[in-house]
Short mmCIF file of all heavy atoms in Angstrom, two decimals:
data_model
loop_
_atom_site.label_atom_id
_atom_site.label_comp_id
_atom_site.label_asym_id
_atom_site.label_seq_id
_atom_site.Cartn_x
_atom_site.Cartn_y
_atom_site.Cartn_z
N THR A 1 99.97 203.11 91.98
CA THR A 1 99.67 203.89 93.15
C THR A 1 99.28 202.99 94.33
O THR A 1 99.65 203.26 95.47
CB THR A 1 98.52 204.88 92.91
OG1 THR A 1 98.87 205.71 91.78
CG2 THR A 1 98.27 205.78 94.09
N LEU A 2 98.54 201.91 94.05
CA LEU A 2 98.21 200.92 95.12
C LEU A 2 99.50 200.37 95.74
O LEU A 2 99.59 200.20 96.97
CB LEU A 2 97.38 199.84 94.59
CG LEU A 2 95.92 200.19 94.14
CD1 LEU A 2 95.26 198.99 93.51
CD2 LEU A 2 95.16 200.67 95.38
N ILE A 3 100.53 200.16 94.89
CA ILE A 3 101.79 199.69 95.39
C ILE A 3 102.53 200.75 96.19
O ILE A 3 103.03 200.49 97.32
CB ILE A 3 102.69 199.20 94.24
CG1 ILE A 3 102.07 197.99 93.59
CG2 ILE A 3 104.13 198.82 94.74
CD1 ILE A 3 102.82 197.54 92.29
N ALA A 4 102.60 201.95 95.66
CA ALA A 4 103.31 203.08 96.24
C ALA A 4 102.73 203.41 97.62
O ALA A 4 103.44 203.82 98.55
CB ALA A 4 103.32 204.29 95.37
N GLU A 5 101.39 203.28 97.76
CA GLU A 5 100.71 203.68 99.00
C GLU A 5 100.34 202.51 99.94
O GLU A 5 99.53 202.67 100.83
CB GLU A 5 99.48 204.51 98.66
CG GLU A 5 99.82 205.83 97.91
CD GLU A 5 98.60 206.74 97.67
OE1 GLU A 5 97.46 206.27 98.05
OE2 GLU A 5 98.83 207.82 97.16
N ASN A 6 100.91 201.30 99.65
CA ASN A 6 100.71 200.16 100.50
C ASN A 6 99.23 199.79 100.63
O ASN A 6 98.71 199.45 101.72
CB ASN A 6 101.29 200.32 101.86
CG ASN A 6 102.83 200.27 101.86
OD1 ASN A 6 103.42 199.47 101.09
ND2 ASN A 6 103.47 201.09 102.66
N LYS A 7 98.51 199.88 99.50
CA LYS A 7 97.03 199.56 99.51
C LYS A 7 96.72 198.41 98.57
O LYS A 7 95.63 198.27 98.05
CB LYS A 7 96.24 200.79 99.17
CG LYS A 7 96.32 201.89 100.20
CD LYS A 7 95.53 203.11 99.78
CE LYS A 7 95.64 204.19 100.83
NZ LYS A 7 94.92 205.45 100.46
N ILE A 8 97.74 197.56 98.32
CA ILE A 8 97.54 196.46 97.38
C ILE A 8 96.66 195.35 97.90
O ILE A 8 96.30 194.42 97.17
CB ILE A 8 98.92 195.92 96.87
CG1 ILE A 8 99.73 195.33 98.05
CG2 ILE A 8 99.70 196.93 96.16
CD1 ILE A 8 100.92 194.58 97.60
N ASN A 9 96.29 195.44 99.18
CA ASN A 9 95.42 194.40 99.73
C ASN A 9 94.03 194.43 99.01
O ASN A 9 93.40 193.43 98.84
CB ASN A 9 95.21 194.62 101.20
CG ASN A 9 94.74 196.01 101.62
OD1 ASN A 9 95.28 196.96 101.16
ND2 ASN A 9 93.75 196.06 102.46
N PHE A 10 93.64 195.64 98.57
CA PHE A 10 92.39 195.74 97.87
C PHE A 10 92.44 195.04 96.52
O PHE A 10 91.51 194.36 96.09
CB PHE A 10 91.99 197.23 97.61
CG PHE A 10 91.67 197.98 98.89
CD1 PHE A 10 92.62 198.75 99.54
CD2 PHE A 10 90.37 197.85 99.47
CE1 PHE A 10 92.32 199.44 100.72
CE2 PHE A 10 90.07 198.51 100.64
CZ PHE A 10 91.05 199.29 101.30
N GLN A 11 93.59 195.19 95.85
CA GLN A 11 93.80 194.51 94.59
C GLN A 11 93.85 192.96 94.82
O GLN A 11 93.35 192.21 94.01
CB GLN A 11 95.11 194.99 93.93
CG GLN A 11 95.39 194.37 92.59
CD GLN A 11 96.60 194.96 91.94
OE1 GLN A 11 97.24 195.89 92.45
NE2 GLN A 11 97.00 194.39 90.81
N ALA A 12 94.44 192.56 95.95
CA ALA A 12 94.53 191.12 96.28
C ALA A 12 93.14 190.50 96.45
O ALA A 12 92.88 189.40 95.97
CB ALA A 12 95.35 190.97 97.54
N TYR A 13 92.26 191.23 97.14
CA TYR A 13 90.87 190.73 97.34
C TYR A 13 90.18 190.48 95.98
O TYR A 13 89.56 189.47 95.78
CB TYR A 13 90.04 191.72 98.16
CG TYR A 13 90.58 191.98 99.52
CD1 TYR A 13 90.45 193.29 100.10
CD2 TYR A 13 91.18 190.98 100.33
CE1 TYR A 13 90.92 193.57 101.37
CE2 TYR A 13 91.62 191.28 101.58
CZ TYR A 13 91.56 192.56 102.12
OH TYR A 13 92.00 192.82 103.38
N ILE A 14 90.35 191.43 95.12
CA ILE A 14 89.74 191.38 93.81
C ILE A 14 90.29 190.15 92.98
O ILE A 14 89.52 189.43 92.39
CB ILE A 14 89.93 192.65 93.02
CG1 ILE A 14 89.12 193.80 93.71
CG2 ILE A 14 89.47 192.52 91.57
CD1 ILE A 14 89.41 195.18 93.13
N TYR A 15 91.63 190.01 93.01
CA TYR A 15 92.28 188.93 92.26
C TYR A 15 91.88 187.57 92.74
O TYR A 15 91.69 186.60 91.96
CB TYR A 15 93.78 189.11 92.30
CG TYR A 15 94.32 190.03 91.22
CD1 TYR A 15 93.71 191.28 91.05
CD2 TYR A 15 95.38 189.73 90.43
CE1 TYR A 15 94.18 192.17 90.02
CE2 TYR A 15 95.89 190.57 89.47
CZ TYR A 15 95.28 191.80 89.28
OH TYR A 15 95.74 192.63 88.31
N VAL A 16 91.61 187.42 94.06
CA VAL A 16 91.22 186.19 94.62
C VAL A 16 89.84 185.86 94.11
O VAL A 16 89.59 184.72 93.58
CB VAL A 16 91.17 186.21 96.16
CG1 VAL A 16 90.52 184.93 96.70
CG2 VAL A 16 92.60 186.27 96.72
N PHE A 17 88.93 186.77 94.15
CA PHE A 17 87.55 186.61 93.70
C PHE A 17 87.52 186.24 92.21
O PHE A 17 86.86 185.32 91.77
CB PHE A 17 86.75 187.84 94.00
CG PHE A 17 85.33 187.78 93.49
CD1 PHE A 17 84.42 186.91 94.08
CD2 PHE A 17 84.90 188.59 92.43
CE1 PHE A 17 83.10 186.83 93.54
CE2 PHE A 17 83.61 188.51 91.94
CZ PHE A 17 82.73 187.66 92.50
N VAL A 18 88.31 187.02 91.41
CA VAL A 18 88.28 186.85 89.99
C VAL A 18 88.83 185.46 89.62
O VAL A 18 88.34 184.80 88.73
CB VAL A 18 89.14 187.95 89.31
CG1 VAL A 18 89.46 187.59 87.88
CG2 VAL A 18 88.36 189.28 89.33
N SER A 19 89.86 185.01 90.32
CA SER A 19 90.50 183.68 90.00
C SER A 19 89.50 182.54 90.31
O SER A 19 89.42 181.59 89.55
CB SER A 19 91.73 183.52 90.86
OG SER A 19 92.77 184.46 90.46
N ILE A 20 88.74 182.70 91.42
CA ILE A 20 87.75 181.68 91.74
C ILE A 20 86.64 181.63 90.68
O ILE A 20 86.25 180.55 90.26
CB ILE A 20 87.10 181.98 93.10
CG1 ILE A 20 88.18 181.86 94.20
CG2 ILE A 20 85.93 181.13 93.41
CD1 ILE A 20 87.71 182.27 95.60
N VAL A 21 86.19 182.84 90.25
CA VAL A 21 85.20 182.90 89.14
C VAL A 21 85.73 182.25 87.88
O VAL A 21 85.03 181.46 87.21
CB VAL A 21 84.80 184.36 88.90
CG1 VAL A 21 83.96 184.49 87.64
CG2 VAL A 21 84.08 184.90 90.09
N ASN A 22 87.00 182.57 87.50
CA ASN A 22 87.62 182.05 86.32
C ASN A 22 87.70 180.53 86.32
O ASN A 22 87.23 179.85 85.33
CB ASN A 22 89.04 182.59 86.18
CG ASN A 22 89.79 182.03 85.03
OD1 ASN A 22 89.36 182.10 83.89
ND2 ASN A 22 90.88 181.41 85.32
N ILE A 23 88.09 179.95 87.42
CA ILE A 23 88.25 178.48 87.55
C ILE A 23 86.91 177.82 87.51
O ILE A 23 86.66 176.80 86.87
CB ILE A 23 89.02 178.14 88.82
CG1 ILE A 23 90.47 178.58 88.75
CG2 ILE A 23 88.97 176.61 89.03
CD1 ILE A 23 91.20 178.42 90.05
N ALA A 24 85.89 178.40 88.19
CA ALA A 24 84.48 177.83 88.24
C ALA A 24 83.95 177.81 86.87
O ALA A 24 83.38 176.74 86.48
CB ALA A 24 83.71 178.66 89.22
N ILE A 25 84.01 178.87 86.12
CA ILE A 25 83.43 178.95 84.81
C ILE A 25 84.17 178.02 83.81
O ILE A 25 83.57 177.36 82.99
CB ILE A 25 83.43 180.40 84.27
CG1 ILE A 25 82.61 181.30 85.15
CG2 ILE A 25 82.92 180.44 82.81
CD1 ILE A 25 82.64 182.74 84.74
N ALA A 26 85.52 177.95 83.99
CA ALA A 26 86.31 177.08 83.12
C ALA A 26 85.89 175.60 83.33
O ALA A 26 85.83 174.85 82.33
CB ALA A 26 87.81 177.33 83.37
N LEU A 27 85.84 175.20 84.56
CA LEU A 27 85.46 173.79 84.86
C LEU A 27 84.08 173.48 84.30
O LEU A 27 83.80 172.32 83.95
CB LEU A 27 85.52 173.53 86.35
CG LEU A 27 86.93 173.54 86.97
CD1 LEU A 27 86.83 173.44 88.53
CD2 LEU A 27 87.76 172.36 86.50
N LEU A 28 83.23 174.49 84.27
CA LEU A 28 81.85 174.29 83.74
C LEU A 28 81.78 174.22 82.24
O LEU A 28 81.06 173.41 81.71
CB LEU A 28 80.93 175.43 84.28
CG LEU A 28 79.45 175.37 83.90
CD1 LEU A 28 78.85 174.19 84.62
CD2 LEU A 28 78.78 176.65 84.26
N LEU A 29 82.61 175.03 81.58
CA LEU A 29 82.51 175.17 80.16
C LEU A 29 83.51 174.34 79.31
O LEU A 29 83.23 173.91 78.21
CB LEU A 29 82.60 176.63 79.73
CG LEU A 29 81.56 177.63 80.28
CD1 LEU A 29 81.86 179.04 79.78
CD2 LEU A 29 80.19 177.14 79.86
N CYS A 30 84.71 174.16 79.84
CA CYS A 30 85.81 173.55 79.04
C CYS A 30 85.55 172.11 78.69
O CYS A 30 85.95 171.70 77.58
CB CYS A 30 87.14 173.64 79.83
SG CYS A 30 87.85 175.27 79.86
N PRO A 31 84.85 171.27 79.45
CA PRO A 31 84.61 169.89 79.04
C PRO A 31 83.82 169.83 77.74
O PRO A 31 84.02 168.91 76.92
CB PRO A 31 83.81 169.29 80.20
CG PRO A 31 84.26 170.08 81.38
CD PRO A 31 84.44 171.45 80.90
N LYS A 32 82.90 170.80 77.45
CA LYS A 32 82.12 170.79 76.27
C LYS A 32 82.59 171.72 75.18
O LYS A 32 82.56 171.36 74.01
CB LYS A 32 80.65 171.18 76.65
CG LYS A 32 79.93 170.20 77.51
CD LYS A 32 78.48 170.62 77.73
CE LYS A 32 77.71 169.58 78.55
NZ LYS A 32 76.33 169.98 78.83
N LEU A 33 83.18 172.83 75.56
CA LEU A 33 83.58 173.85 74.58
C LEU A 33 85.10 173.89 74.33
O LEU A 33 85.55 174.60 73.46
CB LEU A 33 83.06 175.23 75.05
CG LEU A 33 81.58 175.38 75.20
CD1 LEU A 33 81.24 176.80 75.65
CD2 LEU A 33 80.85 175.08 73.91
N GLY A 34 85.88 173.24 75.17
CA GLY A 34 87.30 173.21 74.99
C GLY A 34 87.96 174.58 75.13
O GLY A 34 87.66 175.33 76.08
N VAL A 35 88.76 174.98 74.12
CA VAL A 35 89.48 176.27 74.23
C VAL A 35 88.49 177.46 74.20
O VAL A 35 88.81 178.50 74.79
CB VAL A 35 90.52 176.39 73.08
CG1 VAL A 35 89.82 176.54 71.70
CG2 VAL A 35 91.47 177.50 73.29
N LEU A 36 87.37 177.30 73.60
CA LEU A 36 86.40 178.43 73.56
C LEU A 36 85.82 178.67 74.95
O LEU A 36 85.67 179.78 75.39
CB LEU A 36 85.23 178.08 72.61
CG LEU A 36 84.15 179.11 72.46
CD1 LEU A 36 84.68 180.45 72.00
CD2 LEU A 36 83.03 178.62 71.54
N GLY A 37 85.69 177.58 75.70
CA GLY A 37 85.20 177.72 77.11
C GLY A 37 86.23 178.42 77.95
O GLY A 37 85.84 179.24 78.81
N ALA A 38 87.52 178.19 77.68
CA ALA A 38 88.57 178.85 78.41
C ALA A 38 88.52 180.34 78.10
O ALA A 38 88.74 181.15 79.00
CB ALA A 38 89.95 178.30 77.99
#
């Protein structure tokens, strides 16, 4: 529906934030926990 009604900008904002969180946590945990940190 977001696509059909041209409101995917809201989804884009969320995905940007989530990707930043994912990378930040991965860089913090992966050196010690490896695949578990990912």
Side-chain angles (χ1 to χ4, degrees):
T1 304
L2 290 175
I3 295 174
E5 298 186 355
N6 287 325
K7 294 178 180 177
I8 59 172
N9 56 311
F10 293 98
Q11 186 176 354
Y13 299 144
I14 293 171
Y15 275 47
V16 170
F17 176 70
V18 166
S19 296
I20 293 171
V21 171
N22 175 58
I23 294 171
I25 298 176
L27 290 173
L28 183 66
L29 298 181
C30 287
K32 293 183 178 180
L33 300 178
V35 70
L36 181 59

